[in-house]
Amino acid sequence: AQTVTQSQPEMSVQEAETVTLSCTYDTSESDYYLFWYKQPPSRQMILVIRQEAYKQQNATENRFSVNFQKAAKSFSLKISDSQLGDAAMYFCAYRTTFLGGGADGLTFGKGTHLIIQP
Amino acid sequence: EAGVAQSPRYKIIEKRQSVAFWCNPISGHATLYWYQQILGQGPKLLIQFQNNGVVDDSQLPKDRFSAERLKGVDSTLKIQPAKLEDSAVYLCASSLLGLPPYEQYFGPGTRLTVT
């Protein structure tokens, strides 16, 4: 079974600064997907960024980028130019790859609470 | 496009009572998931449906939890009887079947408090 570990329960960053959230995972699979989800206090989980394991290039989405180190099983999220609206719980998640139908529920870490200091 | 709908948003019950949650996925999404999110933890998958069939219910406490997805659209999750440790947010998510990028879209959740 896969496991996802987020070792930072809480992180704090000044507005406009850069912050990096850490995530490590354990799997015996060679192909899979990794995700970062954001959960604001309203609880609606929103996808921030995704990474396919077979792609060596790190994914980027505007101010959000990842550092994917497959050999180290590490998947960190970098938020540049932090904004007050970035304050939320951030969850790292793992999804297996399959062809056709099959179980593909996400395995989540415990989350990191990101605080933005004005 | 309308998102994943869930109701109720909040529910308070006493232990040993029963409760049901409802989920309406995004139109056209064949795959539906129920997750349990206990305070301070990440969501944990309870059950996954593909159309109206169960794909994965390995983490569903079947002695007290049940779920169904009639006609492959709406789904209900039931707890009977509830225990104190069932207090959590129950999240429903949906996704397109077998198509990248395999994104799961989440509903707002139902916060259950068992007293």
Side-chain angles (χ1 to χ4, degrees):
Chain A
Q2 296 81 22
T3 59
V4 176
T5 302
Q6 294 179 250
S7 58
Q8 307 155 316
E10 186 173 278
M11 292 284 284
S12 182
V13 64
Q14 291 289 129
E15 195 176 1
E17 296 295 310
T18 296
V19 64
T20 298
L21 308 184
S22 301
C23 173
T24 59
Y25 58 94
D26 189 27
T27 183
S28 59
E29 299 177 336
S30 60
D31 198 15
Y32 44 86
Y33 287 78
L34 295 166
F35 303 86
W36 278 98
Y37 276 88
K38 171 185 177 181
Q39 189 177 44
S42 65
R43 292 205 308 276
Q44 191 107 22
M45 196 86 73
I46 304 166
L47 178 66
V48 175
I49 197 166
R50 71 176 66 83
Q51 174 80 42
E52 294 94 328
Y54 66 87
K55 289 187 177 180
Q56 293 186 341
Q57 186 174 7
N58 289 325
T60 62
E61 287 287 343
N62 301 312
R63 299 183 294 108
F64 299 87
S65 62
V66 299
N67 183 4
F68 174 50
Q69 302 289 330
K70 189 173 184 179
K73 296 180 181 176
S74 171
F75 181 60
S76 61
L77 174 69
K78 185 172 82 172
I79 306 174
S80 304
D81 185 26
S82 297
Q83 300 175 0
L84 294 177
D86 295 334
M89 285 293 293
Y90 285 81
F91 292 96
C92 178
Y94 175 103
R95 179 197 173 279
T96 188
T97 298
F98 67 94
L99 298 177
D104 69 342
L106 297 173
T107 299
F108 285 88
K110 289 190 174 183
T112 297
H113 181 211
L114 179 63
I115 298 168
I116 311 295
Q117 306 275 10
Chain B
E1 124 187 301
V4 176
Q6 290 188 247
S7 67
R9 292 295 308 276
Y10 304 90
K11 189 74 176 179
I12 301 174
I13 62 171
E14 295 182 349
K15 59 184 179 184
R16 291 186 290 274
Q17 287 186 325
S18 63
V19 65
F21 313 127
W22 173 82
C23 173
N24 180 241
I26 293 172
S27 177
H29 282 196
T31 308
L32 185 147
Y33 312 81
W34 283 101
Y35 291 86
Q36 179 192 57
Q37 186 177 16
I38 293 173
L39 185 64
Q41 298 183 20
K44 181 185 81 170
L45 179 71
L46 292 176
I47 190 167
Q48 176 187 348
F49 290 95
Q50 210 140 272
N51 296 306
N52 59 350
V54 175
V55 173
D56 182 4
D57 63 356
S58 58
Q59 299 189 91
L60 186 74
K62 298 180 184 64
D63 58 333
R64 297 183 301 104
F65 286 66
S66 65
E68 61 181 6
R69 190 181 184 197
L70 299 176
K71 300 180 182 179
V73 182
D74 294 5
S75 176
T76 57
L77 177 69
K78 298 179 182 178
I79 308 175
Q80 182 179 10
K83 293 185 175 181
L84 295 176
E85 58 260 37
D86 298 332
S87 293
V89 175
Y90 291 85
L91 297 170
C92 179
S94 69
S95 71
L96 288 168
L97 173 61
L99 293 175
Y102 306 113
E103 180 176 350
Q104 292 185 22
Y105 296 82
F106 285 82
T110 296
R111 179 180 294 279
L112 174 67
T113 302
V114 182
T115 63

